[in-house]
Amino acid sequence: DEQGELITRAPVVTIMGHVDHGKTSLLDAIRKTNVQTGEAGGITQHIGAYQVEQNGHKITFIDTPGHAAFTAMRSRGAKSTDIVILVVAADDGVMPQTIEAINHARAAKVPVIVAINKIDKPSADPTRVRTELLQHEIFVESMGGETLDVEVSAKTGENLDKLLETILLQSEVLDLKADPNRSAEGTVIEAKLDKGRGPVATVLVQRGTLRPGDIVVAGSEWGRVRALLNDRGTAMTEAEPSTPVEVLGFQGAPAAGDRFAVVETEARAREIADYRARQKREKAVARQTTARGSLAEMMNQRQSAGLKEFPLVIKGDVQGSVEAIAGALEALGTDEVQARIILSGVGGVTESDVTLAATSNAAIIGFNVRANKQARDVADREGIEIRYYNIIYDLVDDVKAAMSGLLT
Ligand code: GTP
Ligand code: MG
Ligand code: NA
């Protein structure tokens, strides 16, 4: 990937908290709409994504459900965000999903702003909320900590401007940048099959700019973007980083949490999607028939051995691919965990590759190449895993998932 010019992007802010503490109402009040009263049973059962503007600065909001059943949705919400707004009702205090939200934010290493809501109520006790938060190691400013907190009311609109200003303050500190001049990438927030419009995916663009006509792949689905709609249903000609958009044009509905990326051709998109669909089926079968260790499990074993490096041998069919793979894997490295490529080269996986891998307890990656018989025999004997790929994204995704697994 060529590194282009970076621009400041809008903060992505996920609203989290216990059921009925007023998350959707707060967003409604901020957007001056009325989603909450239209919800079945008054509870949120999907993730909504919206963008607002405050003094010329855009802010992207992701609403999440507070109901206990939606843990996975909340976890995804916390992962694709820059800031979590923790909504706590001042008359109810810290409750189970408040605590869960704190844990998701912490796991995702995302800063929290506390919105103490419903302060219009006579029974509101914001001081009690702050004290209860202490027990979960959320120290707000007035209690000598660093977490920003704002007392608000979605009902009267009190302090909503202050909440927005606090978000902008926090996002300035985070110094959020993205490159708009590259092919778009991001996360599927939710997707559905709409009777009239076909598959509709709500995506968050995180890098690059998405446009109608772009060919997108998300998980095992692909499509050509027929239209982009903002949260008010207005067609858009482009969506830059941090913009949530509805994408029409997918052949099938991707899964919430899938990554999406723009690719060059329909043929390429179909190839990637088909490959992943096949892999999904194979994985399902493999789960049923064998307990063979996955890449992630191998890394977990290394973690228990106290290592934060992932040694790899990479073999591929052409030098350009091997270089690209090595570069992409090295770029995944953080201060805590790194891929260490002990050997890379062109050609099939040989016995000497396996022997070398064994001395470093490395995993072997074959890209568009296979291992010969002798190599497979040695690998079996030494317990060395050889993984085969023909799509770089999948390879990188697997290693990335395994590397983050090493840290949790
Ligand atoms: P889930 O998405 O189901 O978790 O709920 P939520 O956190 O989005 O809460 P929601 O916006 O559905 O509000 C729950 C109830 O609290 C509704 O009856 C709202 O009218 C009420 N409510 C929300 N904010 C306030 C507020 O600031 N003051 C008062 N008095 N009531 C509020
Ligand atoms: Mg809600
Ligand atoms: Na509710």
Side-chain angles (χ1 to χ4, degrees), residues 20 22-25 36 39 42-45 63-66:
D20 282 349
K23 299 175 290 296
T24 303
S25 300
Q36 199 276 331
E39 286 178 340
I43 68 161
T44 303
Q45 304 194 58
D63 188 15
T64 65

